[in-house]
Amino acid sequence: MEIKIVRKVLEANEKLAAQIRKRNRRYGITMFNIMSSPGSGKTSIIEQVLPKLKNEGYKIGVIEGDITSSLDAERMLKFDVPVSQINTEPFGGDCHLGSEVILPALEQLDSNLDIVFIENVGNLVCPAEFDTGADFNIVVLSITEGEDKPLKYPLMFRVCDIAIINKIDLLPYLDVDLDVIKKNIKKIKPEIDIIPSSAKSKEGIYEVASWIKIHLLKE
């Protein structure tokens, strides 16, 4: 009985996610779902990339997901972009965003957008299992998490189109090998794109923004 229930939940989520993609095609919106562990730097990456894209004329909206609080959403307001906040605490404190909460959040945003960023709840497990209706999945991995995270949480890296290895400005102070992290990611998904970055030093931010623009054009 449990297997049937889980399957039913996932099937319903995927069906609604397909409707979200159809809706976004109608409006010409490309949606990027950004996932990571708590504290890996999702918000900081968005803060660095968003103004670069906005300055080139792209119209952008942000969906912020957290169990509670609106702290990350408040950080987005300074960029003068529409923001929708999802708190999962009323839904039992879910550690992910599913399509059933993404759709109403998306409908709160202006439909005249080019890009929507979803900042998912901080977690390397549950968010990978639920389709949000996004066109592309992005995982942010901080080097402070160590070299073995891709091997421990393979599904997250399998479902993502790009891995951003963040906080590389800390490499001189950590016993971490960037090449080993890259190899471990490629073991899980050989075709995934990888961009080392630092939201603090701005290294790799231009490349992240360019990756988004290229895939926006493809869409």
Side-chain angles (χ1 to χ4, degrees):
M1 180 62 70
E2 285 186 32
I3 293 176
K4 291 181 181 178
I5 291 173
V6 170
R7 183 175 298 154
K8 184 176 180 180
V9 168
L10 291 176
E11 286 177 353
N13 183 80
E14 289 171 3
K15 184 176 180 180
L16 187 54
Q19 294 176 19
I20 290 172
R21 288 192 184 90
K22 186 176 180 181
R23 174 196 183 278
N24 285 346
R25 291 292 181 279
R26 187 165 70 248
Y27 291 117
I29 295 171
T30 305
M31 195 154 68
F32 298 85
N33 177 31
I34 306 176
M35 300 175 282
S36 81
S37 300
S40 292
K42 295 188 301 296
T43 310
S44 297
I45 291 290
I46 295 172
E47 285 180 313
Q48 295 300 324
V49 169
L50 196 155
K52 292 184 180 299
L53 296 171
K54 190 178 178 186
N55 288 342
E56 294 191 30
Y58 293 105
K59 297 181 287 294
I60 303 166
V62 181
I63 296 174
E64 286 287 350
D66 277 301
I67 293 176
T68 185
S69 90
S70 60
L71 296 174
D72 291 341
E74 291 166 16
R75 288 169 63 175
M76 294 297 118
L77 295 178
K78 63 188 174 187
F79 299 109
D80 192 27
V81 297
V83 181
S84 285
Q85 175 70 55
I86 300 173
N87 288 133
T88 65
E89 188 176 37
F91 310 104
D94 285 350
C95 55
H96 67 276
L97 300 180
S99 55
E100 80 284 354
V101 294
I102 291 295
L103 182 56
L106 192 57
E107 290 175 339
Q108 289 180 11
L109 300 177
D110 185 355
S111 60
N112 186 30
L113 296 172
D114 302 305
I115 299 168
V116 171
F117 290 121
I118 301 170
E119 183 175 354
N120 217 308
V121 179
N123 193 307
L124 279 180
V125 182
C126 302
E129 298 175 347
F130 287 83
D131 191 346
T132 59
D135 301 289
F136 299 100
N137 288 323
I138 298 172
V139 58
V140 178
L141 176 69
S142 167
I143 62 164
T144 58
E145 297 176 72
E147 301 164 349
D148 58 358
K149 279 295 187 293
L151 305 180
K152 289 182 175 180
Y153 303 95
L155 181 60
M156 174 58 73
F157 293 86
R158 287 194 190 109
V159 302
C160 285
D161 303 284
I162 179 174
I164 300 172
I165 305 175
N166 196 31
K167 302 187 181 181
I168 59 172
D169 55 289
L170 298 177
L171 276 171
Y173 313 104
L174 299 172
D175 186 18
V176 176
D177 190 326
L178 182 59
D179 288 334
V180 172
I181 298 176
K182 291 179 180 179
K183 287 178 182 178
N184 287 341
I185 292 172
K186 290 288 188 178
K187 282 181 184 178
I188 302 302
K189 187 173 183 178
E191 70 273 23
I192 195 171
D193 293 322
I194 299 175
I195 298 178
S197 76
S198 168
K200 183 176 179 63
S201 70
K202 312 298 188 294
E203 186 175 352
I205 297 300
Y206 172 82
E207 287 78 8
V208 172
S210 296
W211 188 94
I212 290 168
K213 287 190 294 183
I214 289 170
H215 289 76
L216 175 65
L217 293 173
K218 284 183 180 179
E219 285 302 304

